[in-house]
Amino acid sequence: MRIVAIGGGPAGLYFGILMKQAFPAAEIEILERNRPDDTFGFGVVFSDETLSFFDDADAESAGRIRSRFRTWKEIETRFRSETIVSTGHGFAAIARAELLSILQQRALDLGCTIRFENTFAAGEPLPEADLVVGCDGVNSQLRDRYAADFEATIELRPNRFSWLGTDFALDAFTFIFEPTEHGLFQVHAYPFSSDRSTWIVECSEATWRRAGLDRASEEETVAFCQRLFAPHLGGHSLLANRSLWRQFPTVRCGRWHRENLVLLGDAAHTAHFSIGSGTKLAMEDAIALVDAFRALGTSDVPAALAAYEAARRVDVAKLQRAAQVSLEWFENAERYQAQEPLPFVFNLMTRSKRITYDNLRARDPELVARLDREFSLRLPGGEAGAATAAARAVPPAFTPLQVRSVELANRIVVSPMCQYSATDGLVDDWHLVHLGSR
């Protein structure tokens, strides 16, 4: 079987590694437009759950990657001059250049061919191969060429962001919310080595324009952000690597394959950096594609591609949905600036609904206990109300809510669909059974 992967990022390299292990006789060629040591971006972050998938797929490459990881369990939020730390989460990060180097060497060791500085032109015919893997990133020429077949859509989100780095080694995943006369700037940052961290700056388009950043060069962007976040950098510097202001592109495809061509990673779908899952998605795509060939063999490529897509689509849709909710939260972060720090941090932590109140309490019981205590002090009766709520172990959702002159018994709200309407103000057996079951 002859396979050509167009794109030598994590998706293409990891697919080559796994496919060569599964089918040693396969001829696998990976075409990459950049040089071996070129890379854009800074660090790549994974969760503990993702790492277990890599261990199962290829223990050798997983071991090499783990040996270079920077690991931590904390998320730190800096908001309104207060720093709140939550623990129990579990992250690992590595420099993108190191990750690519490890995967390149592993692919070569197994017998894959990697051709660097190999540009696939827009009008060029597809390579002669039994399988062509399109893993050429968010600006995929292959996806664009067959956009109608892939039912591809790209939605540019309104916020602006610049992907920077710093020579400051942070201790944790760090969120910073910095109000200015122009508007709110926010940082998504995390360490990836002993002396480097990723530092992504995000703001609304209106804030970006008011600050004059729509006219700023890369050097001027770095200087502006250096001044703005100096109190958080501890005397360290921000670093640039094609750190231009961008809009995040949400890529979705109704189909991921046509004939013998299949899309992996950002070419097929993107997930916002606020949940840090782009590389994770790409490498898990590679695992699923190879699993499909393991199960069905290599004689019927379209069947294997259909099986791959069927196996991955639901998981990708779930993660894209969580990423969408998360990015929308950050797009509207200014509306939450009047909140007190602890409620703000809770809302930040649970923004995508992947972490719930119960999840957070299991991970960081001390933080949730502090949150409950502060929350209960605002109940009717102050300290007495708080003591009553604590004694009854009442979750916040079931505490009273004062709305002007009306005190509601709890905070549970049911949307007013027609079927919930009472007749002449009276509920009946349908309401009793339906709402009772809730």
Side-chain angles (χ1 to χ4, degrees), residues 59-180:
E60 177 64 30
S61 61
R64 296 183 192 181
I65 294 168
R66 281 184 182 276
S67 70
R68 306 312 300 268
F69 267 146
R70 170 77 187 272
T71 61
W72 70 94
K73 294 185 178 297
E74 292 75 34
I75 298 176
E76 182 175 304
T77 304
R78 303 178 189 179
F79 174 71
R80 290 175 58 179
S81 302
E82 188 168 336
T83 298
I84 295 176
V85 178
S86 176
T87 190
H89 301 283
F91 297 101
I94 185 173
R96 181 176 172 82
E98 286 196 66
L99 175 64
L100 290 175
S101 177
I102 289 168
L103 295 178
Q104 288 165 5
Q105 190 57 56
R106 176 67 170 149
L108 292 171
D109 290 346
L110 288 169
C112 297
T113 300
I114 308 175
R115 302 195 187 282
F116 294 101
E117 299 183 77
N118 192 301
T119 302
F120 183 74
E124 189 177 340
L126 292 181
E128 291 291 332
D130 300 296
L131 173 66
V132 178
V133 182
C135 39
D136 50 343
V138 66
N139 297 313
S140 170
Q141 290 185 2
L142 291 172
R143 182 195 63 232
D144 292 349
R145 179 185 296 191
Y146 302 108
D149 292 324
F150 291 129
E151 302 170 20
T153 63
I154 302 175
E155 179 190 15
L156 291 177
R157 300 302 304 182
N159 269 16
R160 303 284 174 159
F161 71 93
S162 178
W163 205 291
L164 299 160
T166 175
D167 56 7
F168 181 26
L170 295 164
D171 294 324
F173 210 120
T174 303
F175 293 110
I176 302 171
F177 296 86
E178 193 69 37
T180 71

Side-chain angles (χ1 to χ4, degrees), residues 159-287:
N159 269 16
R160 303 284 174 159
F161 71 93
S162 178
W163 205 291
L164 299 160
T166 175
D167 56 7
F168 181 26
L170 295 164
D171 294 324
F173 210 120
T174 303
F175 293 110
I176 302 171
F177 296 86
E178 193 69 37
T180 71
E181 68 272 25
H182 311 297
L184 179 68
F185 286 85
Q186 44 210 20
V187 168
H188 312 246
Y190 54 87
F192 62 83
S193 71
S194 61
D195 62 352
R196 290 289 187 273
S197 300
T198 295
W199 191 278
I200 307 167
V201 181
E202 182 183 15
C203 63
S204 69
E205 180 170 5
T207 296
W208 176 68
R209 290 187 181 279
R210 283 194 293 264
L213 294 169
D214 56 324
R215 304 180 300 277
S217 66
E218 184 178 49
E219 293 76 14
E220 290 167 335
T221 289
V222 172
F224 176 91
C225 294
Q226 181 80 43
R227 291 191 301 271
L228 178 59
F229 297 108
H232 302 281
L233 288 166
H236 291 266
S237 300
L238 290 178
L239 310 171
N241 187 340
R242 292 182 63 185
S243 302
L244 306 175
W245 290 97
R246 299 177 173 87
Q247 293 171 267
F248 184 81
T250 298
V251 175
R252 295 185 178 89
C253 291
R255 288 172 52 84
W256 299 345
H257 70 281
R258 68 175 298 278
E259 299 176 359
N260 69 330
L261 171 62
V262 64
L263 301 180
L264 294 188
D266 283 350
H269 44 67
T270 57
H272 192 248
F273 52 79
S274 61
I275 63 171
S277 292
T279 303
K280 158 197 160 70
L281 275 173
M283 294 176 73
E284 289 177 356
D285 281 355
I287 293 172

Side-chain angles (χ1 to χ4, degrees), residues 4 9 32 87 92-93 165 187 229 253 279 326 373 380 383 408 421:
V4 177
E32 169 54 40
T87 190
V187 168
F229 297 108
C253 291
T279 303
S326 180
R373 173 67 180 169
E383 289 281 357
L408 303 176
S421 298

Side-chain angles (χ1 to χ4, degrees), residues 177 325-333 336 344 347-348 351:
F177 296 86
V325 175
S326 180
L327 77 84
E328 289 175 1
W329 191 93
F330 281 101
E331 287 172 356
N332 294 283
Y336 309 121
F344 178 85
N347 288 332
L348 169 66
R351 66 191 180 278

